[in-house]
Amino acid sequence: HPNVSFLCGEFGALSTGLSFDAATAFEIVEHIADPLPMLRWLRDVAPLLLVSVPNETHFPFRNYKFHHRHYTETQFLTL
């Protein structure tokens, strides 16, 4: 669709002044040691954020090589 754009890159390297109707972050938050700056940046560029992370209640963290942590629903909502 001509009104849909796809942008992929490191959030710190993306230009400022961007604006989107929505942003997605599927299964990436758990790979970032400090995801708060990325989530804040996404909040600033899009009013709607669709995110998925491993649910600690159903998929407990067990020192996965590339994951920093998993989140319970409450922990993620707090983040």
Side-chain angles (χ1 to χ4, degrees):
H1 191 281
N3 291 334
V4 174
S5 62
F6 179 79
L7 179 64
C8 182
E10 293 185 35
F11 78 93
L14 298 172
S15 46
T16 58
L18 295 173
S19 177
F20 302 95
D21 295 325
T24 60
F26 296 140
E27 304 298 316
I28 63 168
V29 172
E30 67 276 10
H31 296 272
I32 303 171
D34 181 12
L36 195 54
M38 180 199 67
L39 292 171
R40 285 181 174 151
W41 184 84
L42 289 170
R43 175 200 60 203
D44 291 345
V45 299
L48 176 63
L49 176 59
L50 305 171
V51 181
S52 67
V53 296
N55 185 325
E56 177 65 20
T57 304
H58 302 286
F59 184 38
F61 180 76
R62 289 190 170 81
N63 294 320
Y64 294 101
K65 186 175 182 177
F66 298 107
H67 290 193
H68 289 278
R69 64 172 297 166
H70 292 176
Y71 296 87
T72 65
E73 182 178 356
T74 301
Q75 289 169 333
F76 189 72
L77 290 172
T78 300
L79 176 65

